[in-house]
Amino acid sequence: MKVVNLRQAILQAWKERWSDYQWAINMKKFFPRGATWDILNLAEALLEQAMIGPSPNPLILSYLKYAISSQMVSYSSVLTAISKFDDFSRDLCVQALLDIMDMFCDRLSCHGKAEECIGLCRALLSALHWLLRCTAAFAERLQEGLEAGTPAPGEKQLALCLQCLEKTLSSTKNRALLHIAKLEEASSWTAIEHCLLKLGEILANLSNPQLRSQAEQCGTLIRSIPTMLSVHSEQLHKTGFPTVHALILLEGTMNLTGEMQPLVEQLMMVKRMQHIPTPLFVLEIWKACFVGLIESPEGTQELKWTAFTYLKIPQVLVKLKKYFHGEKDFTEDVNSAFEFLLKLTPLLDKADQRCNCDCTNFLLQECNKQGLLSEVNFAILVGKRTADRDPQLKSSENANIQPNPGLILRAEPTVTNILKTMDADHSKSPEGLLGVLGHMLSGKSLDLLLAAAAATGKLKSFARKFINLNEFTTHGSGESTKTASVRALLFDISFLMLCHVAQTYGSEVILSEASSGEEVPFFETWMQTCMPEEGKILNPDHPCFRPDSTKVESLVALLNNSSEMKLVQMKWHEACLSISAAILEILNAWENGVLAFESIQKITDNIKGKVCSLAVCAVAWLVAHVRMLGLDEREKSLQMIRQLAGPLYSENTLQFYNERVVIMNSILEHMCADVLQQTATQIKFPSTGVDTMPYWNLLPPKRPIKEVLTDIFAKVLERGWVDSRSIHILDTLLHMGGVYWFCNNLIKELLKETRKEHTLRAVQLLYSIFCLDMQQVTLVLLGHILPGLLTDSSKWHSLMDPPGTALAKLAVWCALSSYSSYKGQASSRQKKRHREDIEDYISLFPVEDMQPSKLMRLLSSNEDDANILSSPTDRSMNSSLSASQLHTVNMRDPLNRVLANLFLLISSILGSRTAGPHTQFVQWFMEECVDCLEQDSRGSILQFMPFTTVSELVKVSAMSSPKVVLAITDLSLPLGRQVAAKAIAAL
């Protein structure tokens, strides 16, 4: 028997009435091996023949059903064939096609190549479009029948269509395949959306509520397909979130000048990673602010906290609002947060008592002003707080003391006005400018203005204006005595203010962006080369301290012979640079008996008598000098510092002398703190009644720093939140012990925990502690500590649950935070720290062609090699291809390098034959990655995972779900979609 083609074979089978299994046997005889049935389009040919008449041919349909059951044809070829049928007027044919779909629509699979799996995704998308068109056609017919008043034709068919739709869409696997298809064929998805809209309009007029609700349910499932990865359940059972609390305390205590955007992004990252509901998230921010207000030390820190709470945080919330859809919803969430906050009456009363005012009222006003609260809610909240407030607080408020919140809110517009004043031409009205600066020096005005400027991001601009002013006053030509004294005062005040800003907020605020060709201003030069700072060691013999000898001699003569400092034609910057060498000359003369103590007193009085800046420059050099002296050589140098620190009781001083001396003493105390501690010396600086250095020297003496670290962490863990004092101690320990020591010891403490709730709390607190220097800690944790634990079998026991789960969570949080902020700049807090070179990552994983490491050889594998998909167990060179290479991520970055290495290690653990706690750890790590992911995984840490890891992961029962596969693959890449389709189709 000779058969020409497939159609003839089908017709012959029908004529001779073959049974289905007979048909299958004969077909295999007719068509020898080689060509597959899908290439011959068997499914389409069978359907074409079966659907010729008004009703389907049952015999040929039985052949198709047998072919499907015996897997002669693939599901994708059947779905594609069905979606080509478009004569919906033939009810019986449509019903037969729906019956065929019903056979397998909830158990689709494909075990072929990646291209076949992508084919299944596309076929399912076509079938979904066909089902929607079919449903719409029957719904229209039903509607027309109802309008004509005839019996309802098509209701049964519509019910069958909806039933098939529901069965297809209720499978998560199918929705995952459709998710991939949507990304493969955007135009087809647009057609489905149009079809869905049309169907919605038709079904809205249906009288049958059951059919309508069924259709709505199907519509909801289809609309959920593009966003099926972004659904996370929020932690509604928890009320405290220590990470948010600690982050806010850390920023308020140590980084007031930091830019807002990195803080906003970090807060959003924590909210996402920990699934915190918005009202509780905002509540935690407010709680931390009030705790900060209550526990901040009196003086500058107190003003910093007030500025942070009332100026910076409302602006942070305004920026956060942009991350939420629906502005109204966010204002409602802020309102809910305040409602929760008002229930914490003891906390609010304590803050009111500390600040001598109704703190909440000021905060509500500011939020209302920024559009974070509606007028109605604002009025209700103010009324509630007034009613709940302790009546004794009102009576105990001191009317003579102005509350800090009010002062800070008034200081903000003043900052803007001062900046405008400073823009004017200084030569036109120097006296007027001096009057403005004089007001700034009185009481706590300067600290108020600086705190307001720091919280609103204007401090750098503020400092720049004072640098320009200082530069303007360095020279004077043809001036009278009065003009000279005004110039001297402007120089002195600007110099002192800049020193104060550098010590209070960090020298980064002062430094300008280096631009070639421009001359560096005097103050910047002096600060970088001559000003003592924490962690900065100065050489007293450095050329910067050795200016022109003739200038030094004339300055020594002036200090020694004159009754007071001359002002006219004085070049103050030269005097400041020459004073160090002059002091050395004077010290030598004193030590050799050439000068008596009375002469020294006269000289020091001259130095500090007119401008305090000279005393500051002199002490700066003396501090560097004392460090280099032996124990018995220091006395005279320290004696000179004592002389310079005391005020001069004289009638003949310049304006604002007392105010300038207060700032000078604060500057000198900061400068001398380290050297006085190292030399076990005490110098009594004139007291202002406020501790100017509240967070300095917190470590207990004569105790090993490891003990201090474990103790402080145990206390923090027991309490459940980090206070600002602990933050400073931890920062000092990080600075002293180094990043590896700090991270390693804290991880050891985490792995000792055995109670689940304790480990979770420890992770939340450790993450916030690591924010002290997240980038460096992450490099150490992922590049050294984790690989050490995963590759050493003697340490595997420490990775058991619960500490293992906790460490996996912490590692993912650190990795995500560092990676998302890597493109941003390090905060001033992190730039300031003197860093030891924890590891040369370039040598760890070299990228030069001459010296390739195993990692880089793997990462340079051939991207076009098809083996990665056809043989996932093959651990050859190509097995490390990852999305990061296709996105051409820069592998010279240490973090990218460390992440790539970690994922290669994870891949090898999953592929190895030895299972254990380390394998379980990898599973927890990946689960946490999935849990913390956003919708689009491009640019996430998972892009460093080799594609082959996907097929290994789905073998782990906990990870074998379609959603997990979608989450861990980069669906923005065609190769990523193929890998995902292959893994999901095989589930």
Side-chain angles (χ1 to χ4, degrees):
M1 178 180 67
K2 187 181 177 186
V3 175
V4 177
N5 60 25
L6 195 60
R7 187 164 167 270
Q8 282 182 332
I10 295 166
L11 286 171
Q12 187 175 345
W14 172 68
K15 282 174 188 169
E16 296 176 16
R17 297 292 186 272
W18 295 344
S19 65
D20 46 17
Y21 68 90
Q22 255 184 321
W23 168 79
I25 293 165
N26 288 333
M27 288 297 278
K28 284 170 186 174
K29 285 178 187 170
F30 294 156
F31 296 93
R33 285 178 192 175
T36 66
W37 297 112
D38 278 359
I39 289 172
L40 295 170
N41 278 339
L42 176 61
E44 196 176 324
L46 284 168
L47 268 183
E48 201 179 291
Q49 293 303 314
M51 299 292 165
I52 284 172
S55 63
N57 184 317
L59 185 62
I60 296 178
L61 277 184
S62 74
Y63 299 159
L64 178 60
K65 286 175 183 174
Y66 186 88
I68 294 167
S69 303
S70 60
Q71 296 186 349
M72 279 174 74
V73 290
S74 67
Y75 293 130
S76 56
S77 66
V78 179
L79 289 171
T80 306
I82 289 173
S83 61
K84 287 180 180 176
F85 182 84
D86 55 5
D87 186 357
F88 300 121
S89 60
R90 290 151 67 188
D91 292 1
L92 294 171
C93 290
V94 171
Q95 195 172 328
L97 293 176
L98 290 171
D99 285 345
I100 289 169
M101 271 191 80
D102 194 57
M103 282 173 65
F104 60 82
C105 67
D106 57 344
R107 52 185 179 86
L108 295 175
S109 64
C110 176
H111 297 275
K113 291 179 181 173
E115 292 78 10
E116 292 169 29
C117 300
I118 283 286
L120 176 61
C121 296
R122 288 181 167 144
L124 185 58
L125 191 67
S126 302
L128 176 64
H129 191 201
W130 180 81
L131 276 171
L132 287 171
R133 281 164 47 223
C134 186
T135 309
F138 285 126
E140 264 181 344
R141 202 189 309 171
L142 178 62
Q143 193 180 354
E144 283 165 10
L146 290 170
E147 284 168 5
T150 54
E155 190 164 328
K156 184 188 171 191
Q157 283 84 348
L158 179 60
L160 283 171
C161 281
L162 287 172
Q163 196 179 327
C164 191
L165 252 179
E166 196 172 11
K167 190 173 179 182
T168 306
L169 292 166
S170 58
S171 155
T172 311
K173 180 176 173 178
N174 286 357
R175 292 202 304 278
L177 294 171
L178 287 166
H179 184 89
I180 295 167
K182 170 195 169 287
L183 296 170
E184 281 284 318
E185 294 187 356
S187 56
S188 301
W189 185 258
T190 309
I192 283 176
E193 285 176 330
H194 286 313
C195 215
L196 203 56
L197 283 171
K198 183 185 169 189
L199 185 62
E201 287 167 12
I202 300 166
L203 293 172
N205 304 316
L206 268 188
S207 56
N208 188 325
Q210 190 184 347
L211 288 179
R212 202 164 57 234
S213 77
Q214 206 175 359
E216 281 167 7
Q217 200 176 344
C218 292
T220 306
L221 283 170
I222 293 171
R223 287 187 196 95
S224 74
I225 288 168
T227 58
M228 65 187 294
L229 286 181
S230 59
V231 182
H232 287 297
S233 58
E234 293 188 326
Q235 296 194 44
L236 298 171
H237 59 287
K238 283 186 69 183
T239 53
F241 299 93
T243 310
V244 178
H245 189 100
L247 254 180
I248 294 295
L249 275 173
L250 182 75
E251 285 291 313
T253 309
M254 303 183 79
N255 199 26
L256 181 62
T257 53
E259 287 179 29
M260 278 184 217
Q261 196 54 36
L263 172 60
V264 169
E265 285 170 11
Q266 196 166 26
L267 284 168
M268 277 307 295
M269 174 71 72
V270 171
K271 183 185 186 303
R272 231 175 4 244
M273 291 191 302
Q274 298 186 16
H275 312 311
I276 307 173
T278 309
L280 296 181
F281 172 66
V282 178
L283 170 68
E284 202 62 49
I285 293 173
W286 292 138
K287 274 162 62 179
C289 286
F290 277 97
V291 168
L293 282 174
I294 292 163
E295 68 170 22
S296 57
E298 198 181 338
T300 311
Q301 289 297 328
E302 189 182 1
L303 295 176
K304 278 184 172 184
W305 256 109
T306 312
F308 182 73
T309 304
Y310 290 93
L311 296 178
K312 190 165 187 175
I313 289 296
Q315 288 297 329
V316 165
L317 288 178
V318 168
K319 285 185 177 288
L320 276 170
K321 185 166 36 169
K322 293 171 187 166
Y323 286 80
F324 299 91
H325 311 296
E327 199 170 299
K328 193 164 183 285
D329 297 346
F330 188 70
T331 52
E332 282 305 315
D333 287 336
V334 172
N335 180 52
S336 302
F338 271 117
E339 284 175 353
F340 291 136
L341 183 69
L342 293 185
K343 290 174 183 171
L344 307 173
T345 312
L347 175 76
L348 303 184
D349 285 352
K350 197 162 177 59
D352 287 0
Q353 191 182 347
R354 170 74 201 270
C355 297
N356 190 42
C357 67
D358 185 347
C359 294
T360 319
N361 199 344
F362 276 113
L363 196 55
L364 290 168
Q365 283 176 30
E366 198 55 25
C367 288
N368 184 33
K369 195 168 88 181
Q370 298 294 346
L372 295 166
L373 278 175
S374 66
E375 289 292 341
V376 178
N377 289 339
F378 168 68
I380 294 168
L381 291 166
V382 168
K384 187 167 182 351
R385 174 60 189 148
T386 309
D388 293 349
R389 198 169 177 235
D390 186 346
Q392 288 183 342
L393 285 170
K394 185 72 183 163
S395 56
S396 64
E397 279 177 18
N398 188 338
N400 299 324
I401 301 171
Q402 287 191 297
N404 284 337
L407 289 171
I408 276 289
L409 290 167
R410 285 208 299 278
E412 190 211 358
T414 312
V415 169
T416 313
N417 293 335
I418 289 171
L419 288 173
K420 283 179 188 166
T421 308
M422 298 288 289
D423 278 332
D425 186 350
H426 304 317
S427 58
K428 285 183 180 169
S429 60
E431 290 89 352
L433 183 58
L434 183 59
V436 172
L437 299 189
H439 280 300
M440 283 175 66
L441 296 180
S442 60
K444 56 182 180 184
S445 296
L446 178 60
D447 282 330
L448 265 170
L449 291 166
L450 292 179
T456 51
K458 293 174 185 161
L459 190 59
K460 208 165 176 69
S461 170
F462 208 78
R464 188 71 2 221
K465 304 275 192 256
F466 278 100
I467 284 177
N468 294 340
L469 172 64
N470 185 264
E471 200 67 10
F472 163 74
T473 56
T474 50
H475 299 283
S477 56
E479 57 187 1
S480 64
T481 312
K482 188 186 176 189
T483 315
S485 67
V486 169
R487 186 170 66 83
L489 278 167
L490 288 175
F491 176 86
D492 200 39
I493 292 170
S494 57
F495 187 94
L496 293 171
M497 279 186 179
L498 288 165
C499 284
H500 184 60
V501 168
Q503 287 181 340
T504 313
Y505 294 100
S507 52
E508 299 78 25
V509 179
I510 306 289
L511 298 175
S512 56
E513 303 298 323
S515 55
S516 56
E518 276 189 38
E519 194 179 333
V520 180
F522 153 71
F523 184 82
E524 274 191 54
T525 310
W526 179 83
M527 186 187 73
Q528 286 179 289
T529 51
C530 309
M531 183 175 169
E533 284 183 280
E534 190 187 351
K536 181 166 135 187
I537 307 298
L538 298 171
N539 174 10
D541 299 324
H542 190 276
C544 72
F545 291 122
R546 297 282 171 272
D548 185 358
S549 57
T550 53
K551 289 175 184 171
V552 174
E553 283 167 22
S554 62
L555 182 60
V556 171
L558 183 67
L559 294 170
N560 194 25
N561 303 328
S562 310
S563 57
E564 60 177 52
M565 202 73 179
K566 74 159 192 163
L567 302 175
V568 179
Q569 304 293 328
M570 189 70 177
K571 293 182 177 176
W572 292 111
H573 66 300
E574 286 184 4
C576 284
L577 292 171
S578 306
I579 194 78
S580 50
I583 289 286
L584 178 60
E585 296 284 330
I586 293 159
L587 259 180
N588 287 339
W590 186 18
E591 283 171 353
N592 294 316
V594 177
L595 288 174
F597 181 62
E598 290 74 24
S599 302
I600 299 298
Q601 275 185 311
K602 180 189 159 194
I603 289 168
T604 52
D605 285 353
N606 264 341
I607 291 173
K608 67 189 178 187
K610 295 291 183 190
V611 292
C612 298
S613 343
L614 280 181
V616 171
C617 295
V619 172
W621 178 81
L622 282 165
V623 164
H625 181 63
V626 169
R627 281 183 193 274
M628 305 299 166
L629 299 176
L631 196 62
D632 52 344
E633 301 170 316
R634 296 173 181 158
E635 183 48 42
K636 284 190 165 54
S637 299
L638 292 169
Q639 184 73 13
M640 193 170 268
I641 293 176
R642 280 191 191 93
Q643 287 296 318
L644 289 165
L648 177 68
Y649 299 103
S650 161
E651 304 256 326
N652 202 14
T653 54
L654 294 175
Q655 256 179 304
F656 313 118
Y657 184 67
N658 293 336
E659 290 88 343
R660 285 182 289 134
V661 166
V662 169
I663 299 175
M664 178 187 82
N665 281 320
S666 163
I667 293 165
L668 297 187
E669 193 175 349
H670 276 84
M671 277 185 176
C672 298
D674 273 355
V675 80
L676 293 181
Q677 185 191 24
Q678 286 159 12
T679 57
T681 311
Q682 281 194 326
I683 290 180
K684 189 91 175 112
F685 291 93
S687 173
T688 54
V690 172
D691 184 0
T692 54
M693 300 177 66
Y695 291 123
W696 186 78
N697 196 19
L698 293 174
L699 293 187
K702 298 178 182 174
R703 271 193 78 191
I705 56 171
K706 188 178 175 188
E707 270 183 37
V708 179
L709 182 67
T710 50
D711 272 13
I712 197 84
F713 182 64
K715 282 176 189 166
V716 162
L717 189 58
E718 188 183 343
R719 198 169 39 215
W721 55 281
V722 188
D723 62 308
S724 48
R725 191 172 183 277
S726 303
I727 286 172
H728 277 270
I729 294 174
L730 288 161
D731 189 52
T732 310
L733 290 168
L734 172 57
H735 187 52
M736 288 178 79
V739 183
Y740 181 82
W741 173 88
F742 184 78
C743 185
N744 193 35
N745 282 307
L746 285 174
I747 295 298
K748 281 178 185 172
E749 292 305 304
L750 171 64
L751 294 176
K752 285 178 193 171
E753 291 298 331
T754 52
R755 288 173 59 186
K756 194 164 188 177
E757 61 273 26
H758 273 205
T759 53
L760 182 60
R761 190 195 297 171
V763 166
Q764 293 176 329
L765 292 167
L766 275 176
Y767 170 82
S768 53
I769 290 167
F770 286 170
C771 285
L772 284 165
D773 198 347
M774 183 56 84
Q775 293 288 342
Q776 295 297 312
V777 167
T778 305
L779 289 175
V780 163
L781 179 60
L782 305 185
H784 297 272
I785 295 170
L786 274 192
L789 289 167
L790 291 171
T791 53
D792 185 349
S793 56
S794 66
K795 292 178 182 170
W796 287 352
H797 68 279
S798 64
L799 296 175
M800 304 279 272
D801 192 33
T805 325
L807 180 58
K809 194 180 278 287
L810 179 63
V812 172
W813 288 2
C814 289
L816 287 171
S817 296
S818 288
Y819 193 75
S820 67
S821 65
Y822 204 54
K823 298 147 194 93
Q825 294 177 326
S827 74
S828 58
R829 183 178 72 241
Q830 292 164 3
K831 282 187 208 156
K832 181 164 62 180
R833 175 171 294 115
H834 167 72
R835 271 219 188 82
E836 73 282 21
D837 190 6
I838 53 163
E839 180 62 57
D840 182 2
Y841 289 92
I842 295 291
S843 67
L844 185 64
F845 312 125
V847 287
E848 289 79 12
D849 294 336
M850 301 300 290
Q851 188 198 8
S853 69
K854 182 188 175 196
L855 169 68
M856 296 317 296
R857 285 201 310 277
L858 288 171
L859 288 179
S860 61
S861 61
N862 179 13
E863 293 169 8
D864 301 317
D865 198 323
N867 290 343
I868 57 163
L869 296 174
S870 56
S871 53
T873 51
D874 176 21
R875 305 235 143 247
S876 61
M877 289 288 214
N878 60 15
S879 68
S880 72
L881 176 66
S882 67
S884 61
Q885 290 159 274
L886 302 182
H887 289 312
T888 60
V889 169
N890 177 15
M891 290 310 292
R892 286 186 177 274
D893 278 345
L895 184 63
N896 293 349
R897 214 169 261 279
V898 162
L899 284 166
N901 198 48
L902 181 66
F903 276 107
L904 277 179
L905 178 60
I906 283 172
S907 189
S908 71
I909 288 170
L910 286 169
S912 71
R913 291 173 184 173
T914 313
H918 65 307
T919 324
Q920 186 72 56
F921 177 87
V922 165
Q923 182 193 317
W924 292 324
F925 183 89
M926 295 306 297
E927 280 174 355
E928 190 59 34
C929 282
V930 171
D931 196 42
C932 295
L933 264 189
E934 290 178 78
Q935 174 75 32
D936 177 17
S937 63
R938 174 172 182 171
S940 87
I941 59 169
L942 284 173
Q943 66 176 318
F944 294 98
M945 183 183 71
F947 285 123
T948 48
T949 311
V950 178
S951 55
E952 297 289 355
L953 265 175
V954 291
K955 293 174 187 172
V956 180
S957 58
M959 302 296 283
S960 59
S961 86
K963 277 193 180 184
V964 168
V965 175
L966 287 181
I968 60 177
T969 42
D970 189 335
L971 299 174
S972 65
L973 293 169
L975 189 53
R977 293 196 288 272
Q978 286 181 34
V979 170
K982 188 174 183 348
I984 292 169
L987 288 174

